[in-house]
């Protein structure tokens, strides 16, 4: 019977070879059925093996996770190092910038000197008895009398800035000076003619900026001396920016609190405009002809056979640093004289500000700041420069402009030597100016005075 069931099983199997392998040989002992205890033990072993395998797998996952965390830690460390290197580079740049500004020949701010009487000797300090050595007059050899020499021409010395009390902590007043030193290698620290003088007043709370062009022919008490009534640009040519600031702050003049200044030469101005990529300015044909004539004159002075020219046509043109400079110095076109010249200068300042706000880039801004810090003359700290630049780029300012004397308040006059000056009512002008800066009063309006002008360019 057993043999018969085995044969039938083989027949039912589809794979003969497999059936042959699975067939129990004849005479082999019958396979014993496992007991329930054995099966329970087997299931227990399988469960333990599965648990051990699962634990081993979890260990691999944890190891992988730990390895993944280690990779991110490495990336973060690399980024931290890069940020530190960048920070050191930026810090090094600003340290270099700070050193450059600090090493400029800045004008010192000092207390105004006071006239003090000669000290009176104290009789109690004089000894009751004093002995004197006896000297034989014959033993004294007279010193030879020096031969007379020509009196040297006095050289103007830069004057310090006299310290004054701050009128309002929320308002910054800065003097901008464009000078015309005749020497080709002159720096912004040299004295010369102050061709352009502007007071820039910034209200940090209201974001109002007032620009006042000071007419160079306008009269003032130079160095605040009542006996020295002359053109205000004489202050710079005789004592530099220090005397000019002291004149503006003087009690006989405007009574301001200016302590900071920026002074640049014409060549520096050209470079800054070129760094901006030039300026788009609306020109009249008369202004075009003036610019071309001045460029030709300057080229011929150095023997050049070619020079810069622009098309003589009315409309907007892209001007370079050289042509923008002559646009700013033009006081002949449009029949406005020096009023027109100062108006063009303020127009260029506004165009540069707008271009900086709309087209600036970090490299371009850094180049301009570094150039100004290196070549201009200023007593502004690096912190103040950065603060002003940040304010200019991150805030919307309301910019208003005018001239001093104010429109319609001046007339033709003469100084003590009989030379032309532009006179005006100083107390009235002072009150109006202080009201605009510190009280937020509106700018005055009116027609500019027609006046005779000097022959200076």
């Amino acid at each position: 019977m057993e043999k018969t069931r085995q044969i039938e099983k083989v027949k039912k199997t589809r794979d003969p070879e497999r059936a042959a392998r699975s067939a129990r040989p004849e005479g082999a002992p019958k396979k014993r059925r496992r007991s329930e205890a054995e099966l329970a033990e087997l299931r227990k072993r399988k469960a333990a093996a599965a648990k051990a395998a699962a634990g081993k797998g979890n260990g691999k996952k944890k190891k992988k996770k730990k390895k993944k965390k280690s990779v991110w830690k490495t990336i973060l460390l690399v980024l931290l190092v890069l940020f530190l290197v960048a920070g050191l580079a930026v810090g090094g740049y600003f340290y270099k910038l700070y050193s450059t500004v600090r090493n400029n020949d800045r004008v010192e701010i000092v207390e105004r000197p006071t006239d003090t009487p000669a000290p009176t000797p104290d009789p109690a300090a004089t000894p009751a008895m004093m002995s004197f050595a006896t000297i034989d007059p014959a033993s004294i050899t007279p010193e030879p009398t020096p031969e007379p020499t020509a009196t040297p021409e006095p050289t103007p010395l830069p004057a310090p800035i006299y310290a004054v009390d701050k009128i309002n902590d929320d308002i910054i007043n800065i003097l901008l000076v464009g000078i015309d030193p005749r020497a080709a290698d002159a720096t912004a620290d040299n004295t010369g003619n102050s061709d352009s003088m502007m007071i820039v007043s910034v209200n940090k709370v209201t974001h109002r900026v007032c620009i006042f062009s000071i007419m160079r022919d306008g009269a003032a008490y130079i160095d605040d001396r009542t006996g020295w009534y002359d053109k205000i640009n004489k202050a710079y040519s005789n004592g530099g920016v220090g005397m000019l600031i002291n004149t503006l702050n003087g009690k006989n003049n405007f009574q301001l609190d200016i302590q900071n200044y920026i002074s640049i030469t014409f060549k520096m101005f050209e470079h800054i405009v070129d760094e901006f990529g030039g300026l788009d300015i609306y020109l009249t044909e008369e202004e075009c002809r003036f610019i071309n004539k001045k460029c030709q004159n300057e080229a011929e002075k150095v023997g050049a056979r070619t020079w810069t020219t622009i098309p003589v046509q009315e409309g907007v043109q892209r001007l370079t640093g050289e042509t923008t400079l002559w646009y700013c110095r033009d006081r002949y076109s449009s029949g406005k004289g020096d009023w027109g010249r100062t108006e063009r200068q303020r127009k260029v300042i506004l165009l540069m500000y707008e271009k900086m706000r709309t087209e600036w880039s970090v490299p371009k801004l850094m180049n301009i700041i570094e150039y100004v810090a290196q070549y201009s003359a200023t007593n502004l700290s690096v912190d103040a420069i950065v603060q002003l630049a940040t304010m200019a780029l991150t805030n919307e300012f309301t910019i208003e402009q005018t001239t001093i004397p104010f429109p319609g308040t001046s007339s033709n006059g003469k100084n003590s030597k009989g030379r032309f000056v532009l006179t005006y009512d100083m107390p009235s002008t002072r009150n109006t100016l202080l009201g605009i800066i510190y009280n937020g009063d509106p700018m005055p309006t009116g027609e500019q005075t027609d006046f005779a002008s000097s022959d200076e360019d």
Side-chain angles (χ1 to χ4, degrees):
M1 288 294 292
E2 182 68 26
K3 187 175 181 180
T4 302
R5 284 196 295 268
Q6 185 176 353
I7 293 172
E8 290 177 355
K9 186 176 180 181
V10 171
K11 287 181 179 180
K12 292 181 181 179
T13 304
R14 295 181 179 180
D15 187 354
E17 294 181 0
R18 183 179 178 184
R21 288 194 302 271
S22 62
R24 181 163 55 90
E26 185 177 358
K30 185 178 180 180
K31 190 175 182 180
R32 185 177 62 84
R33 184 183 295 272
R34 294 179 181 178
S35 64
E36 291 295 329
E38 290 176 335
L39 292 175
E41 181 66 22
L42 182 62
R43 285 194 293 269
K44 187 177 179 181
R45 289 178 182 178
K46 287 183 178 180
K51 186 175 181 180
K56 191 176 181 181
N58 290 339
K60 289 182 179 179
K61 288 181 181 179
K62 288 181 181 179
K63 190 173 181 180
K64 288 182 180 179
K65 189 174 182 181
K66 186 175 181 181
K67 187 176 180 181
K68 189 175 182 181
K69 186 182 294 186
S70 177
V71 171
W72 278 109
K73 185 177 180 180
T74 303
I75 294 174
L76 289 175
L77 285 174
V78 171
L79 290 175
L80 179 61
V81 170
L82 290 176
F83 279 124
L84 287 174
V85 171
L88 289 174
V90 174
Y93 171 81
F94 278 106
Y95 178 78
K96 176 186 175 184
L97 185 63
Y98 173 78
S99 301
T100 302
V101 174
R102 183 183 58 188
N103 291 332
N104 276 337
D105 295 329
R106 61 174 60 188
V107 180
E108 293 182 328
I109 300 176
V110 301
E111 294 296 328
R112 179 182 289 272
T114 56
D115 296 330
T116 56
T120 304
D122 185 0
T126 305
M129 296 293 293
M130 301 183 70
S131 61
F132 297 91
T134 304
I135 300 176
D136 183 5
S139 65
I140 300 175
T141 303
E143 295 182 0
T145 304
E147 296 182 1
T149 58
T151 303
E153 190 71 22
T155 302
L157 297 176
I161 300 171
Y162 295 144
V164 295
D165 294 332
K166 190 76 173 174
I167 299 175
N168 188 327
D169 291 334
D170 293 328
I171 295 175
I172 305 171
N173 293 321
I174 301 174
L175 177 65
L176 303 183
V177 183
I179 63 172
D180 178 22
R182 300 301 177 179
D185 58 346
T187 67
D189 296 300
N190 297 126
T191 56
N193 294 324
S194 50
D195 186 82
S196 176
M197 297 168 285
M198 295 184 188
I199 300 171
V200 179
S201 181
V202 181
N203 191 313
K204 296 184 290 185
V205 176
T206 64
H207 294 163
R208 184 193 191 197
V209 177
C210 298
I211 302 177
F212 304 94
S213 290
I214 304 171
M215 305 293 291
R216 63 183 182 184
D217 292 330
Y221 296 102
I222 307 302
D223 204 24
D224 204 31
R225 303 180 195 174
T226 56
W228 194 359
Y229 189 70
D230 209 336
K231 296 179 181 180
I232 197 167
N233 66 349
K234 294 294 183 182
Y236 192 94
S237 60
N238 282 274
V241 72
M243 186 176 288
L244 178 56
I245 289 179
N246 297 336
T247 299
L248 296 171
N249 292 343
K251 63 180 181 180
N252 294 309
N253 294 309
F254 304 115
Q255 300 179 9
L256 295 169
D257 61 352
I258 302 172
Q259 300 285 266
N260 298 115
Y261 68 93
I262 301 176
S263 177
I264 64 173
T265 65
F266 288 160
K267 285 297 180 183
M268 295 175 197
F269 174 81
E270 290 183 27
H271 181 90
I272 293 172
V273 173
D274 287 334
E275 280 291 334
F276 274 100
L279 295 175
D280 296 327
I281 302 177
Y282 187 93
L283 303 174
T284 64
E285 291 185 3
E286 190 177 11
E287 290 169 335
C288 295
R289 284 189 287 268
F290 175 85
I291 292 171
N292 288 340
K293 182 63 177 177
K294 284 297 182 180
C295 290
Q296 179 182 350
N297 291 346
E298 291 300 306
E300 291 176 344
K301 286 180 182 179
V302 296
R305 296 185 178 181
T306 59
W307 49 83
T308 304
T309 59
I310 61 174
V312 180
Q313 59 185 28
E314 184 173 352
V316 176
Q317 296 197 41
R318 173 66 59 89
L319 298 186
T320 63
E322 179 188 10
T323 51
T324 302
L325 173 64
W326 287 116
Y327 172 80
C328 289
R329 299 188 68 183
D330 182 6
R331 62 185 180 86
Y332 298 98
S333 301
S334 69
K336 293 183 179 180
D338 214 29
W339 303 108
R341 185 180 65 88
T342 58
E343 184 179 14
R344 293 183 185 93
Q345 292 171 357
R346 296 191 303 276
K347 181 178 179 180
V348 166
I349 293 294
L350 294 179
L351 287 173
M352 292 174 68
Y353 169 72
E354 288 300 324
K355 191 159 189 177
M356 181 181 69
R357 279 185 55 84
T358 57
E359 300 180 16
W360 76 283
S361 63
V362 172
K364 184 184 295 184
L365 187 62
M366 290 300 183
N367 287 341
I368 293 173
I369 291 178
E370 186 172 354
Y371 182 83
V372 171
Q374 184 174 359
Y375 294 104
S376 70
T378 180
N379 63 352
L380 285 169
S381 65
V382 173
D383 293 339
I385 293 174
V386 172
Q387 180 187 8
L388 290 172
T390 303
M391 288 173 57
L393 293 174
T394 58
N395 293 283
E396 290 288 342
F397 284 97
T398 301
I399 302 178
E400 302 176 47
Q401 53 179 311
T402 188
T403 58
I404 297 176
F406 296 120
T409 63
S410 57
S411 59
N412 294 317
K414 294 183 179 180
N415 62 6
S416 58
K417 296 182 179 180
R419 300 191 64 180
F420 161 78
V421 292
L422 188 63
T423 61
Y424 49 95
D425 187 321
M426 180 61 75
S428 175
T429 301
R430 177 196 307 136
N431 293 336
T432 303
L433 177 62
L434 296 178
I436 294 171
I437 294 177
Y438 298 106
N439 298 333
D441 294 347
M443 291 284 190
T445 58
E447 294 295 328
Q448 303 286 13
T449 305
D450 292 331
F451 64 94
S453 181
S454 64
D455 294 330
E456 301 173 10
D457 279 336

